[in-house]
């Protein structure tokens, strides 16, 4: 009897593991692995701001068993790729490697996450690298505006902090802060290992037991708790900056990860300004009126809040008209239900995008790991498609009225 495509289990120390056994194809010799840790920048203490991202950098600079060169060359010498990223709520180390190197890769990710040296000399180097990254970021207003928008929307909450940290805190960061952050936040219940590899589930479990099952964690100092951010009064802020283009962000609060209506908002955002060239905002602002080269909508759900955004860049004299058209599209979604034809077309497009994105195995496994981390389960592509297929125009309109209300349209402009 053929094995199921997926298997999940929990090791004795609390780490959850997910294995996908591909059903064949040309990529049999390639594996994708990821260690997802449910701790990010919002879990830093105020004096630690920037430490989560700094920890990610220092993971590549040596462990108790490997030098920096050995960490970086172990998989790459065989053609593999090793990378990591930090978000506000997660830290992820991931790799693409030959299947023959699978056990070696699991050992490496475990070593990096739980046995990094955080050498003081390397710390001094990396703090300067990140400060350079912060300085270069200031030359990218189209990216910087997103960070400031969330700082304003979540002011007073760690969720509002940018991921890179502040130069002041980075200059004062110590090895002890990095160690304390890892000990306090890298808890077994917050760790998921996911992999797509052409091997039996039994063999996968054996590798996980060997390289992850031996890890021990100190007793947690209480439950892992995050405090939901308070809702802020509506703002409309303009910053005067010496930029060629005017940059505008309209957005507000969205549904959190535990709200079942999050799929409705994700659907609406795709209709409004998703990657398709026929999205409503692209058709209105670019194709019909030629006001802007780029306009896009996005939605990021967090564990206890969320944010939706609409970004556009245009000439200064086109800003008022561009904003007028954006607000008009939001009004239409609030006041007019999608027709059966519009709804069917939007569903077909959204489901197609999900199906195509699921062909990217690395992204698929990262998404599954996030789902297991948050919900302790995950939906198949078919199950997700069924949920989208069941969406009604009445549900969408109700969500649009709630999220796209005029009271929930905050504005930040760089010009």
């Amino acid at each position: 009897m053929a094995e199921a495509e997926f298997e999940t289990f929990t090791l004795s120390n609390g780490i959850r593991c997910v294995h996908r056994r591909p059903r064949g194809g040309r990529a049999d010799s390639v594996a994708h692995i990821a260690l997802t840790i449910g701790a990010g920048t919002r879990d830093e203490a105020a004096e630690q701001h920037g430490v989560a991202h700094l920890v990610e950098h220092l993971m590549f600079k040596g462990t108790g068993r490997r030098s920096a060169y050995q960490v970086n060359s172990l998989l790459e010498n065989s053609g593999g790729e090793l990378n990591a990223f930090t978000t506000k709520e997660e830290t992820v180390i991931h790799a693409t490697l030959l299947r023959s190197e699978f056990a070696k890769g699991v050992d490496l990710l475990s070593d990096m996450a739980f046995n990094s040296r955080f050498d003081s000399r390397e710390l001094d180097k990396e703090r300067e690298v990140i400060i350079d990254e912060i300085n270069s970021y200031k030359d990218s207003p189209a990216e910087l505006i997103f960070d400031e928008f969330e700082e304003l929307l979540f002011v007073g909450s760690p969720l509002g902090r940018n991921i890179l940290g502040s130069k002041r805190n980075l200059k004062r960061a110590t090895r002890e802060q990095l160690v304390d952050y890892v000990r306090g936040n890298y808890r077994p219940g917050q760790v998921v290992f996911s992999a797509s590899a052409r091997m039996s589930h039994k063999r996968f479990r054996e590798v996980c037991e060997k390289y992850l099952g031996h890890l021990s964690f100190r007793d947690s100092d209480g439950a892992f708790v995050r405090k939901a951010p308070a809702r802020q009064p509506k703002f409309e802020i303009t910053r005067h900056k010496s930029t060629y283009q005017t940059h505008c962000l309209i957005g507000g609060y969205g549904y959190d990860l535990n709200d079942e209506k999050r799929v409705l908002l994700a659907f609406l955002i795709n209709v409004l300004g998703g990657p398709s060239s026929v999205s409503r905002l692209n058709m209105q602002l670019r194709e019909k009126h030629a006001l802007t080269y780029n306009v896009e909508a996005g939605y990021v759900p967090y564990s206890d809040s969320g944010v939706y955004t609409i970004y556009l860049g245009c000439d200064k004299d086109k800003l008022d008209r561009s904003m007028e058209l954006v607000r008009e599209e939001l009004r239409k979604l609030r006041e007019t239900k999608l027709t059966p034809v519009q709804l069917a077309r939007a569903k077909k497009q959204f489901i197609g995008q999900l199906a195509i994105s699921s062909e990217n195995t690395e992204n698929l496994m990262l998404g599954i790991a996030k789902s297991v981390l948050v919900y302790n389960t995950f939906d198949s592509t078919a199950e997700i498609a069924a949920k989208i297929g069941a969406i009604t125009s009445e549900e969408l309109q109700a969500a649009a009225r709630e999220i796209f209300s005029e009271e929930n349209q905050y504005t930040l402009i760089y010009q």
Side-chain angles (χ1 to χ4, degrees), residues 52-229:
H53 183 237
L54 193 53
V55 164
E56 176 217 313
H57 275 239
L58 267 294
M59 286 178 180
F60 291 81
K61 299 303 177 180
T63 71
R65 296 165 46 208
R66 296 178 171 93
S67 67
Y69 176 79
Q70 289 171 328
V71 167
N72 288 280
S73 66
L74 186 67
L75 302 180
E76 293 188 0
N77 281 348
S78 301
E81 296 179 357
L82 175 67
N83 213 332
F85 61 88
T86 305
T87 72
K88 293 190 174 185
E89 296 192 331
E90 295 93 33
T91 303
V92 180
I93 319 168
H94 57 107
T96 299
L97 64 161
L98 294 176
R99 185 183 59 178
S100 58
E101 304 283 297
F102 183 81
K104 190 184 296 184
V106 180
D107 183 26
L108 176 63
L109 266 58
S110 173
D111 197 25
M112 292 171 65
F114 302 105
N115 194 31
S116 284
R117 284 201 305 261
F118 302 131
D119 181 83
S120 297
R121 290 169 298 179
E122 296 293 348
L123 172 57
D124 289 338
K125 294 178 186 176
E126 289 308 304
R127 79 170 91 237
E128 293 303 321
V129 169
I130 297 175
I131 287 172
D132 283 345
E133 189 177 355
I134 291 172
N135 290 333
S136 66
Y137 205 52
K138 293 179 179 179
D139 293 329
S140 303
E143 297 180 25
L144 190 63
I145 196 170
F146 283 89
D147 275 352
E148 185 178 0
F149 186 81
E150 290 204 15
E151 287 175 4
L152 293 165
L153 201 66
F154 301 124
V155 66
S157 167
L159 193 57
R161 298 177 189 149
N162 69 75
I163 291 168
L164 296 181
S166 68
K167 289 192 281 188
R168 181 185 179 204
N169 275 12
L170 286 168
K171 289 176 180 178
R172 298 187 303 179
T174 65
R175 181 183 186 278
E176 288 69 29
Q177 283 184 322
L178 273 65
V179 171
D180 287 345
Y181 174 80
V182 170
R183 284 179 178 171
N185 292 288
Y186 285 28
R187 306 181 182 206
Q190 295 295 110
V191 179
V192 176
F193 176 69
S194 60
S196 176
R198 185 75 169 173
M199 63 176 60
S200 69
H201 293 321
K202 178 183 177 183
R203 174 57 181 158
F204 174 79
R205 185 185 289 262
E206 290 172 349
V207 173
C208 290
E209 291 282 3
K210 182 175 181 179
Y211 296 109
L212 296 169
H214 72 284
L215 296 170
S216 60
F217 299 84
R218 75 171 190 174
D219 293 336
S220 300
D221 298 327
F224 189 83
V225 177
R226 288 169 172 161
K227 184 178 179 181

Side-chain angles (χ1 to χ4, degrees), residues 13 17 32 34 38 116 194 259 265 309 325 376:
N13 58 8
C17 302
H32 302 275
S116 284
S194 60
D259 196 320
L265 181 52
T309 53
L325 289 172
N376 204 33

Side-chain angles (χ1 to χ4, degrees), residues 10-11 40 58 85 118 141 162 186 196 227 255 277 280 301 347 375 390 397-398 407:
T10 303
L11 298 173
L58 267 294
F85 61 88
F118 302 131
N162 69 75
Y186 285 28
S196 176
K227 184 178 179 181
Y255 300 120
S277 61
R280 291 192 173 193
K347 286 180 178 180
Y375 311 113
Q397 186 181 24
E407 295 75 21

Side-chain angles (χ1 to χ4, degrees), residues 308-368:
Y308 84 90
T309 53
I310 299 166
Y311 165 80
L312 62 94
C314 64
D315 292 338
K316 185 177 181 179
D317 60 356
K318 296 178 180 178
L319 177 62
D320 289 345
R321 179 57 174 154
S322 296
M323 293 178 64
E324 180 184 332
L325 289 172
V326 169
R327 297 189 192 283
E328 175 65 14
E329 290 302 321
L330 294 175
R331 184 193 63 77
K332 288 178 182 177
L333 287 172
R334 294 196 309 268
E335 297 181 1
T336 307
K337 291 188 297 185
L338 270 64
T339 67
V341 171
Q342 289 173 330
L343 181 60
R345 184 187 302 123
K347 286 180 178 180
K348 182 178 180 180
Q349 182 192 63
F350 199 34
I351 291 171
Q353 289 173 350
L354 289 171
I356 290 171
S357 67
S358 71
E359 289 297 305
N360 183 317
T361 306
E362 183 176 39
N363 287 343
L364 173 66
M365 297 312 297
L366 290 175
I368 286 174

